[in-house]
Amino acid sequence: MAAAPATVGTFSIRTLSGRRPIPSFRCSLAGGVTTVPILTELKMKCATPLPLLQRIADAMTSDMRAGLAADNGSDLKMILTYVDSLPTGNEKGLFYALDLGGTNFRVVRVQLGGKQNNVVDSEFEQVSIPQELMQGTTEELFNFIASKLANFAAKESGKFQLPKGRMREIGFTFSFPIKQTSIDSGILIKWTKGFAVLGTAGKDVVACLKEAMQRQGLDMWVSALVNDAVATLAGAKYWDDDVLIAVILGTGTNACYIERKDAIPKLQWPAGGTRNMIISTEWGAFTTDLPLTEFDKDMDSESINPGEQIFEKTISGMYLGEIVRRVLLKMASFSSLFGDSIPEKLLIPLALRTPDLCAMQQDETKDLSKVEEILSNTIGQQGLH
């Protein structure tokens, strides 16, 4: 019997009422075998009706309260940051920053001019961390970071002015779960986001950085240790005094907010000083009532930290590309989505990245030529069927 001609169907996913709909997906019907049932089931498993969203919100609120009450009180660590004062906009001078939070890190220098001039000038460099260092040793990783920081500092031009007698100052943004012990020290609890560096857990990450900088002959004072959410809140506060919350959706995900000290039962220190402190929720570890598909569960079980960081694994950039790769692999296994055979690269974990998904989602061409180009570059697929 002759095979049915290849056609293209449309599968539409609708969001909650009043929100912008997600663009439709075009699905293979080649050979009479359709991928629509797979996507229909995926849509159902990913559904977030209002009652479910309310249960999730209530569960997260409960976890937040438990985390504020005691260390290890819930999946949400609710980490004390010891940041109890924030920028006013009056700050002036030369400052450096090191941002380590994912597969890339950034080094920055900025000249602040106070309320009159705000940011006078700034420069930055972004560096990719080799995969082997993400699973290497503590010394190897921090030596690499310090060497790149030293190279960057050596390029400082005359347009950046450091007052006489003042040491260069650097803020360290470290976006992994830590137990903060002071404004400039913190013990790594565990690595996340695909990192599995040996020997760092249980160590002060600022001390690790200082030792590496000393080995590079780099003379800088580490004045603060924060994560990317806290850094985002502090940076926004420089411009807008009404800011209270910061959310990160990047390689991983986190949120922080300004809490009253008298609402933090586990805070063991005198009530003097300012009334508030920034709390880092570490909400990437949240789990309760989240809608999980077979693709989420399979990816989690094969990850380096199964059973952990479930919320992060469902929404962040480190994992979304891999989830879609797994969906495409199942679709290709049950239909002729990519022709008569499955592209070999589609079998490789992490072959599809979240930036690829973003670029494909923005393709507005009638023949999806941009999608075809990206699939060709990532999984070696020429044409959709």
Side-chain angles (χ1 to χ4, degrees):
M1 184 171 66
T7 59
V8 175
T10 298
F11 179 76
S12 178
I13 295 180
R14 298 186 182 276
T15 58
L16 294 174
S17 177
R19 298 183 184 178
R20 182 184 175 190
I22 299 173
S24 300
F25 295 95
R26 302 179 191 181
C27 305
S28 169
L29 300 176
V33 180
T34 175
T35 58
V36 169
I38 296 173
L39 292 179
T40 301
E41 182 181 8
L42 182 62
K43 174 189 175 184
M44 180 183 67
K45 292 290 182 63
C46 291
T48 52
L50 284 176
L52 174 58
L53 290 178
Q54 188 62 60
R55 286 202 306 274
I56 293 172
D58 290 344
M60 183 173 285
T61 301
S62 177
D63 275 6
M64 290 174 68
R65 290 197 181 105
L68 287 174
D71 287 335
N72 302 315
S74 77
D75 288 339
L76 273 62
K77 298 297 184 183
M78 303 301 288
I79 291 173
L80 306 177
T81 67
Y82 294 91
V83 177
D84 59 0
S85 62
L86 288 165
T88 63
N90 293 315
E91 291 77 13
K92 294 182 180 181
L94 172 62
F95 301 91
Y96 276 75
L98 168 63
D99 180 4
L100 174 61
T103 52
N104 301 304
F105 72 88
R106 292 195 301 169
V107 286
V108 183
R109 59 176 151 254
V110 59
Q111 190 83 36
L112 299 181
K115 286 190 180 295
Q116 292 288 331
N117 299 309
N118 297 125
V119 176
V120 178
D121 214 330
S122 65
E123 294 177 340
F124 79 94
E125 288 183 4
Q126 182 163 297
V127 182
S128 294
I129 300 176
Q131 185 69 33
E132 60 269 22
L133 291 184
M134 293 174 63
Q135 300 182 17
T137 67
T138 301
E139 187 169 310
E140 289 170 342
L141 175 63
F142 281 91
N143 280 348
F144 178 76
I145 292 169
S147 68
K148 299 301 181 182
L149 174 58
N151 292 341
F152 179 72
K155 300 174 187 175
E156 181 183 300
S157 66
K159 62 184 178 181
F160 295 93
Q161 300 297 320
L162 181 70
K164 288 184 178 180
R166 182 173 167 182
M167 182 183 293
R168 281 173 177 77
E169 182 177 346
I170 186 167
F172 186 16
T173 300
F174 184 81
S175 303
F176 299 90
I178 61 170
K179 180 176 176 58
Q180 194 105 16
T181 52
S182 71
I183 187 63
D184 61 353
S185 63
I187 307 300
L188 177 66
I189 297 172
K190 63 180 178 180
W191 288 105
T192 56
K193 308 175 195 175
F195 280 74
V197 179
L198 299 174
T200 322
K203 288 186 176 180
D204 181 354
V205 293
V206 173
C208 294
L209 177 61
K210 286 180 177 178
E211 291 167 4
M213 290 195 299
Q214 289 172 356
R215 289 191 289 269
Q216 292 292 326
L218 186 57
D219 190 18
M220 279 190 183
W221 167 48
V222 182
S223 59
L225 173 68
V226 297
N227 62 34
D228 51 358
V230 176
T232 299
L233 196 159
K237 199 77 170 178
Y238 185 78
W239 302 94
D240 184 351
D241 192 52
D242 292 331
V243 172
L244 297 174
I245 299 169
V247 175
I248 295 296
L249 288 169
T251 302
T253 184
N254 193 20
C256 70
Y257 70 102
I258 299 174
E259 180 63 273
R260 298 192 329 271
K261 289 179 181 177
D262 61 9
I264 310 173
K266 70 179 179 182
L267 179 58
Q268 302 292 323
W269 72 346
T274 61
R275 295 168 43 198
N276 302 320
M277 179 187 289
I278 297 179
I279 297 294
S280 177
T281 66
E282 301 299 323
W283 73 1
F286 182 71
T287 302
T288 307
D289 287 330
L290 294 176
L292 299 177
T293 69
E294 63 182 278
F295 310 105
D296 296 306
K297 294 174 183 177
D298 289 346
M299 183 188 67
D300 173 54
S301 67
E302 296 173 21
S303 69
I304 62 174
N305 56 345
E308 301 178 4
Q309 300 297 115
I310 302 300
F311 186 42
E312 182 167 87
K313 287 173 180 173
T314 60
I315 68 171
S316 70
M318 179 77 188
Y319 304 100
L320 290 179
E322 174 61 9
I323 291 171
V324 171
R325 182 194 70 84
R326 290 170 180 269
V327 175
L328 290 176
L329 181 58
K330 181 171 182 178
M331 292 168 67
S333 300
F334 283 87
S335 74
S336 301
L337 181 65
F338 297 118
D340 295 332
S341 61
I342 299 173
E344 288 188 12
K345 289 185 179 179
L346 189 59
L347 301 171
I348 302 174
L350 304 177
L352 197 61
R353 302 175 307 118
T354 301
D356 300 323
L357 306 187
C358 295
M360 287 192 281
Q361 194 273 337
Q362 294 171 20
D363 185 5
E364 297 181 351
T365 61
K366 291 183 178 180
D367 60 353
L368 298 179
S369 57
K370 186 64 177 178
V371 172
E372 181 175 357
E373 177 186 343
I374 293 169
L375 290 176
S376 175
N377 293 334
T378 55
I379 63 173
Q381 172 59 34
Q382 298 291 337
L384 291 169
H385 294 260

